[in-house]
Amino acid sequence: MSVVSDNAKAGAGRTIISVDAMGGDRGPATVVAGIARSAKKNPDIGFILHGPIDELERLVARKKVLAGRVEIRNAEGVVSMDDKPSQVMRTGKSTSMWSAIESVRNKEADVCVSCGNTGALMMLSVVRLRKLPGVNRPAIAILWPSRNPQGFNIMLDVGADIRADEHDLLQYALMGASYARNGMNIQRPRIGLLNVGTEEHKGRAELKSAHDLMAENAATSNFEFVGFVEGGDIPGDRADVIVTDGFTGNVALKTGEGTANLIGSLLREAFKFSPLSRLASVLAFTSMQRLKKRIDPRRVNGGVFLGLNGTVVKSHGSSDATGVSAAVKLAFTLSQSGFSEKLAARVASAVQLQQDAETSGDKNGPNT
Amino acid sequence: MSVVSDNAKAGAGRTIISVDAMGGDRGPATVVAGIARSAKKNPDIGFILHGPIDELERLVARKKVLAGRVEIRNAEGVVSMDDKPSQVMRTGKSTSMWSAIESVRNKEADVCVSCGNTGALMMLSVVRLRKLPGVNRPAIAILWPSRNPQGFNIMLDVGADIRADEHDLLQYALMGASYARNGMNIQRPRIGLLNVGTEEHKGRAELKSAHDLMAENAATSNFEFVGFVEGGDIPGDRADVIVTDGFTGNVALKTGEGTANLIGSLLREAFKFSPLSRLASVLAFTSMQRLKKRIDPRRVNGGVFLGLNGTVVKSHGSSDATGVSAAVKLAFTLSQSGFSEKLAARVASAVQLQQDAETSGDKNGPNT
């Protein structure tokens, strides 16, 4: 590639990802290192990068692989981790986060990636991209290391909203199924509804209603409903997609991460304990690295905001270059598969079915 | 000890634990092996053991250490894991579970231990022991491996009830603090309230109210309130006691267990991968055993039912002898410290304070 331009158009024929360079704990150099890594691995990605133009031009110029593949959009403001979402809504127009979302709104990119403040990113995404018709509450979906052959399960919502009624939970199931199909290539995903017991008489009222709604919609919406699942099934192999409200999902996510971190610390301590165990740690190094890679949160980096006109990938605030690159890879996969349009069509069709069913008073759907 | 009697009185001067021999997945032989292990370690424990007398006499007779230390109460019925709690209420009078609770009701023992069906055990405990005055919802508290010096945190409720309002959550804080003082010898426990964010503007309405109630009551009730905590703090060191509703707590508990199990499986796979890693696993054996012991759920075995006239320790259904013995040890510690009475006094005093405060309209309590 002979075009050497710090601020070139990102190039025709490529899949364009809109990236917020600011707001992560490690600053824009890490984000640029991350997208450079992705660019090297995948010649079909181009970027629109948002942030202070002088700084970004300097950083991008240092990475040869990015030459001609990054268009920089100047945005001097930065949303910090402490900013309140409502405040960002009022005064955030000049920020890189706002600008990154705007590229999705303008259809220049299908998917946007940011390491910034989750609350602000969600609020800006909802206001600027707007919710899909028929979606009441958007959701954040994450990948979770599991015993399934694909290595991961999808869980949603993990914190977009702190409550969800039965209709929201049904929408989460539809959106999670669509994500599993387009992001993980599982044609008929198994959906489980998180509860405290697997017996149908247990649990909250909205969960019982959601259980019935999901069972009714499974066939027409092309997923398998496995019924109630428990916390132990989140890393298990009974379901590919775990549906829950954002409060419960967020607690589960952070409990799982915290438990994994504690075990990691104790494991390191155990290996340091005696000369014998230190020798063992040397011999086991490769195996341990493989294990670490398997459950490394950086590799499953990227909560995905679902239910909007366009897709937003939220990368960990503390992401390093590997983490940013993993989020970009996910954004690319989703963009390539036409995920945003397919999800919109899926939700619209379910809403239509629901309305038809309600009009005809026929719970089995319009086709019967 | 020269008394050799299969059905002797459990002996004066000893702390008596009431034990349900039936209902665990591994049958009464495992329970008897567990109490024998405890009897061997601790000469100050005696038992009342409930179940079919012929079978239990045979099992107890085989363990020399139990001679003269076990009184057997005949109960032919068994509550199975599939029995519905309501059904057990109606027809369960002849069961070992009912009988084991009855010994606490009759003040023959302070604490009862059972490996049986949690729902049935909770319902029988509530109906037979009755709730402490001022307690609306009893709670199940568990121990969770953590980064704290004591090695464990307490979390409650993990599933006695699926909902809790702000007053229930305050009661959980008081009961959890009392458990930490009497079960773990922490004089001024730090209490955290589980939420999705540590900022005070986040979360559900009842959590905000509970936050204020706990802050108000911390000084008079002799605990430190550290405010909102997140899922990652359950295995962390910011708090000694994590307070949450039973739905969220149950999901968190099972998610943490599931995640730890997944990591354990992957670790075993990693060690089997190559000749080098197999050698490493031999060298690391002792260190790994130490780690395993540190986070072994059998060693922290025993959810404790709080808020009743008497204490009930629920051991895992799949407990082996080590697990049963851990539950008995916990029951002994709580019984020795006079936990049941202290907890009752603590709750009564808080209720009194609350009433005084309401009457005088003084939010700072009656002493100011």
Side-chain angles (χ1 to χ4, degrees):
Chain A
M1 190 142 308
S2 61
V3 185
V4 180
S5 156
D6 289 331
N7 193 9
K9 278 276 165 193
R14 294 211 177 93
T15 297
I16 304 301
I17 310 295
S18 173
V19 177
D20 174 10
M22 313 303 287
D25 300 344
R26 297 172 189 235
T30 298
V31 174
V32 171
I35 67 170
R37 199 173 284 215
S38 293
K40 202 167 179 179
K41 282 190 200 157
N42 186 340
D44 298 330
I45 310 185
F47 301 94
I48 307 178
L49 191 63
H50 306 261
I53 195 161
D54 292 349
E55 188 174 5
L56 294 188
E57 280 191 338
R58 216 167 35 243
L59 290 167
V60 168
R62 277 194 219 142
K63 303 279 181 185
K64 286 242 160 52
V65 69
L66 292 177
R69 295 173 67 177
V70 181
E71 183 188 336
I72 298 172
R73 294 278 166 84
N74 187 42
E76 301 289 341
V78 176
V79 176
S80 83
M81 288 296 174
D82 305 323
D83 287 338
K84 289 195 180 175
S86 54
Q87 188 185 330
V88 174
M89 267 312 304
R90 285 195 303 276
T91 61
K93 269 202 180 176
S94 68
T95 62
S96 58
M97 186 185 277
W98 186 294
S99 180
I101 292 169
E102 221 55 19
S103 288
V104 174
R105 182 177 150 102
N106 300 336
K107 310 283 181 204
E108 296 173 290
D110 272 349
V111 184
C112 147
V113 173
S114 174
C115 305
N117 179 326
T118 308
L121 185 62
M122 190 76 212
M123 189 177 262
L124 281 187
S125 300
V126 170
V127 172
R128 299 304 292 164
L129 301 180
R130 297 192 169 275
K131 293 184 273 189
L132 285 173
V135 171
N136 178 32
R137 298 183 203 271
I140 304 177
I142 50 110
L143 299 177
W144 191 295
S146 81
R147 293 180 195 270
N148 271 317
Q150 69 268 24
F152 302 101
N153 291 340
I154 291 169
M155 177 161 73
L156 76 169
D157 173 29
V158 299
D161 208 316
I162 53 168
R163 56 185 70 77
D165 69 15
E166 58 267 35
H167 299 288
D168 300 323
L169 293 167
L170 174 61
Q171 293 291 356
Y172 295 173
L174 298 174
M175 298 195 296
S178 191
Y179 182 18
R181 270 190 293 269
N182 293 285
M184 297 171 89
N185 204 24
I186 300 172
Q187 288 316 304
R188 195 156 177 275
R190 293 164 303 155
I191 311 273
L193 179 60
L194 192 60
N195 199 350
V196 293
T198 50
E199 297 131 73
E200 291 185 23
H201 64 276
K202 285 188 185 172
R204 296 168 169 164
E206 77 269 23
L207 291 179
K208 290 176 202 166
S209 309
H211 184 282
D212 296 344
L213 279 177
M214 287 182 195
E216 280 168 29
N217 278 271
T220 45
S221 298
N222 197 26
F223 63 81
E224 184 187 336
F225 182 53
V226 301
F228 290 134
V229 296
E230 295 192 73
D233 296 311
I234 301 175
D237 58 8
R238 285 191 57 214
D240 305 302
V241 178
I242 314 287
V243 171
T244 187
D245 67 277
F247 184 92
T248 310
N250 189 272
V251 168
L253 169 63
K254 292 190 174 161
T255 303
E257 284 178 349
T259 305
N261 287 339
L262 175 65
I263 296 175
S265 303
L266 295 173
L267 202 56
R268 277 188 296 278
E269 270 174 40
F271 272 134
K272 278 187 201 144
F273 189 76
S274 67
L276 214 58
S277 63
R278 277 195 291 276
L279 175 58
S281 80
V282 174
L283 296 179
F285 184 75
T286 318
S287 302
M288 285 300 131
Q289 288 302 108
R290 206 166 29 242
L291 167 61
K292 209 172 154 189
K293 194 169 165 181
R294 172 86 162 73
I295 58 170
D296 186 350
R298 296 179 308 167
R299 309 235 158 218
V300 289
N301 194 13
V304 179
F305 294 1
L306 302 174
L308 306 170
N309 292 294
T311 303
V312 175
V313 174
K314 164 69 175 79
S315 184
H316 263 288
S318 59
S319 293
D320 60 7
T322 305
V324 171
S325 179
V328 166
K329 185 182 174 188
L330 175 59
F332 174 80
T333 305
L334 293 174
S335 188
Q336 276 256 308
S337 70
F339 173 59
S340 297
E341 292 76 29
K342 286 180 184 167
L343 176 63
R346 175 65 64 186
V347 170
S349 120
V351 169
Q352 188 57 44
L353 284 176
Q354 196 71 21
Q355 285 170 347
D356 291 352
E358 277 162 17
T359 311
S360 70
D362 177 357
K363 280 210 159 190
N364 296 315
N367 297 324
T368 57
Chain B
M1 191 142 307
S2 61
V3 184
V4 179
S5 157
D6 290 330
N7 193 10
K9 278 275 168 197
R14 294 213 178 92
T15 297
I16 304 301
I17 310 294
S18 173
V19 177
D20 174 9
M22 313 304 287
D25 301 343
R26 297 172 188 234
T30 299
V31 174
V32 172
I35 67 170
R37 198 173 287 214
S38 293
K40 203 168 180 180
K41 284 189 199 158
N42 186 339
D44 300 329
I45 310 184
F47 301 94
I48 306 177
L49 191 63
H50 306 261
I53 194 160
D54 292 349
E55 189 174 2
L56 294 187
E57 282 189 337
R58 217 167 33 242
L59 290 168
V60 168
R62 275 193 220 142
K63 303 277 181 188
K64 288 242 157 51
V65 70
L66 291 177
R69 295 174 64 178
V70 181
E71 182 187 338
I72 298 172
R73 294 277 167 84
N74 187 40
E76 301 289 341
V78 176
V79 176
S80 83
M81 289 295 174
D82 306 322
D83 286 340
K84 289 194 181 176
S86 53
Q87 188 185 330
V88 175
M89 267 311 304
R90 285 193 304 274
T91 62
K93 269 200 179 176
S94 68
T95 62
S96 57
M97 186 185 278
W98 186 297
S99 181
I101 293 169
E102 222 54 21
S103 288
V104 175
R105 184 177 148 101
N106 300 338
K107 311 280 180 209
E108 296 173 290
D110 272 346
V111 184
C112 147
V113 173
S114 174
C115 305
N117 179 328
T118 307
L121 185 62
M122 189 79 213
M123 189 177 261
L124 281 187
S125 300
V126 171
V127 172
R128 299 305 293 166
L129 302 180
R130 298 194 171 273
K131 293 184 273 187
L132 286 172
V135 170
N136 178 32
R137 300 181 201 274
I140 305 177
I142 50 113
L143 298 179
W144 191 293
S146 81
R147 294 181 194 269
N148 271 319
Q150 68 269 25
F152 301 101
N153 291 340
I154 291 169
M155 176 161 74
L156 75 167
D157 174 31
V158 300
D161 207 315
I162 53 169
R163 58 184 72 75
D165 69 14
E166 58 266 36
H167 299 288
D168 300 324
L169 292 168
L170 174 62
Q171 293 290 356
Y172 295 173
L174 298 173
M175 299 194 296
S178 191
Y179 182 18
R181 270 190 294 269
N182 294 287
M184 298 170 88
N185 204 23
I186 300 173
Q187 288 315 306
R188 193 155 178 273
R190 293 163 303 154
I191 311 273
L193 179 59
L194 192 60
N195 199 350
V196 292
T198 49
E199 298 131 74
E200 291 186 24
H201 63 276
K202 284 188 184 173
R204 297 167 168 165
E206 76 270 24
L207 291 180
K208 290 175 202 169
S209 310
H211 184 283
D212 296 346
L213 278 177
M214 288 183 194
E216 280 168 29
N217 279 272
T220 44
S221 297
N222 197 25
F223 62 81
E224 183 187 338
F225 181 53
V226 301
F228 289 134
V229 296
E230 295 193 73
D233 296 311
I234 300 174
D237 57 8
R238 284 191 57 213
D240 305 302
V241 178
I242 314 286
V243 171
T244 187
D245 67 276
F247 185 92
T248 309
N250 189 274
V251 168
L253 169 63
K254 292 192 174 160
T255 303
E257 284 179 348
T259 304
N261 286 339
L262 174 64
I263 296 175
S265 303
L266 295 174
L267 202 56
R268 278 188 295 278
E269 270 174 42
F271 273 135
K272 278 186 200 146
F273 189 76
S274 66
L276 215 59
S277 62
R278 278 194 292 275
L279 176 58
S281 81
V282 174
L283 296 178
F285 184 76
T286 317
S287 302
M288 287 298 129
Q289 286 303 108
R290 205 167 29 239
L291 167 61
K292 209 172 153 187
K293 193 170 166 180
R294 172 86 161 74
I295 59 171
D296 187 348
R298 295 179 309 168
R299 308 236 158 218
V300 289
N301 196 13
V304 180
F305 294 180
L306 303 174
L308 305 171
N309 293 294
T311 303
V312 176
V313 174
K314 163 69 176 78
S315 183
H316 263 288
S318 59
S319 292
D320 58 9
T322 306
V324 171
S325 178
V328 166
K329 184 182 174 188
L330 175 60
F332 174 80
T333 305
L334 293 175
S335 188
Q336 275 257 311
S337 70
F339 174 59
S340 298
E341 293 76 28
K342 286 181 185 166
L343 176 63
R346 176 64 65 184
V347 170
S349 121
V351 170
Q352 189 57 45
L353 284 176
Q354 195 72 19
Q355 284 169 347
D356 292 351
E358 278 161 18
T359 312
S360 71
D362 178 357
K363 282 211 156 190
N364 296 317
N367 297 325
T368 58

